[in-house]
Amino acid sequence: MATLLHIDSSALTEGSVSREVSATFREAWEAENPGGTVIYRDLAAAPVPHLSADGITAGFLAPDQRTPEQQAAFALRDELIGELERADAVVIGTPMYNFTIPSSLKAWLDQVILMGRSAGEQPSAAGTPVTVVSARGGSYGPGTPRESFEFVTTYLEKVFTGMLGMDVDFIVPEFTLARVNPAMAQFAETADASKARAHEDADRRARELSAKVAA
């Protein structure tokens, strides 16, 4: 049966567009895979700890050479990497915070990137499709004044393809603050259209990936 790894990283539980659109992806995936498994991690509700010295050094030692602290730290890394390896597809909801990803998502990435296993010459989850819902309050696309300030998709593309060997695709709802920030009121309809398109893209992407997994 197909397995989906679903990760949310927005600090907001209400009004989060990245959560809403990642949920649309999950709903479509579950509709196509009624007997499948969903592994869900809410990195805001249950944060993954930052990578520690014990977690780093344990990766270079044989199991019988690790201290109890190193064993505990590596056990978490092994659990998180295992979830990534079991997934037939991954969907990640992330907002843009100060031009980049939330620290909670960075902490998860640092835990799952392990040279010689998930990263390196033969990444253990190579080829697995990743759909990232990258929501942002304004617009940072090509040709916009703040294009050069965008470090969400640019960073995640390099991490997922260059380090983990995965196949990453982005869904980008923009102007998410237009309905709550009076200064952005002129972009409200643009925001609505972008959000609607993101939901459509998430639904379509989930169904397309489900079909590939089933083939």
Side-chain angles (χ1 to χ4, degrees), residues 136-140 173-177 184:
R136 64 276 306 269
S139 180
Y140 296 79
E174 295 194 307
F175 293 111
T176 60
L177 292 177
M184 298 179 64

Side-chain angles (χ1 to χ4, degrees), residues 29-159:
W29 176 273
E30 289 181 314
E32 297 294 317
N33 300 278
T37 299
V38 174
I39 302 169
Y40 182 58
R41 285 202 174 260
D42 185 334
L43 300 180
V48 169
H50 289 288
L51 185 60
S52 66
D54 287 325
I56 293 172
T57 55
F60 299 97
L61 298 172
D64 61 354
Q65 296 178 323
R66 296 170 186 157
T67 66
E69 292 78 15
Q70 288 172 326
Q71 291 173 355
F74 193 81
L76 173 62
R77 299 192 73 184
D78 185 59
E79 177 184 359
L80 296 172
I81 294 170
E83 292 174 354
L84 187 67
E85 292 170 338
R86 292 198 301 276
D88 294 292
V90 180
V91 61
I92 298 174
T94 178
M96 173 187 280
Y97 288 164
N98 302 316
F99 309 131
T100 189
I101 61 174
S103 61
S104 59
L105 180 55
K106 180 61 164 61
W108 177 83
L109 285 167
D110 287 342
Q111 294 283 5
V112 301
I113 296 172
L114 180 61
M115 295 302 298
R117 182 174 170 181
S118 61
E121 294 185 3
Q122 295 181 313
S124 55
T128 302
V130 182
T131 302
V132 177
V133 179
S134 173
R136 64 276 306 269
S139 180
Y140 296 79
T144 61
R146 290 200 165 187
E147 176 183 357
S148 64
F149 288 76
E150 204 283 331
F151 299 103
V152 176
T153 62
T154 51
Y155 168 69
L156 292 178
E157 191 276 332
K158 294 297 185 293
V159 169

Side-chain angles (χ1 to χ4, degrees), residues 159-181:
V159 169
F160 281 114
T161 63
M163 298 190 75
L164 298 174
M166 304 176 80
D167 180 14
V168 66
D169 183 62
F170 294 95
I171 297 173
V172 186
E174 295 194 307
F175 293 111
T176 60
L177 292 177
R179 288 289 179 186
V180 296
N181 184 348

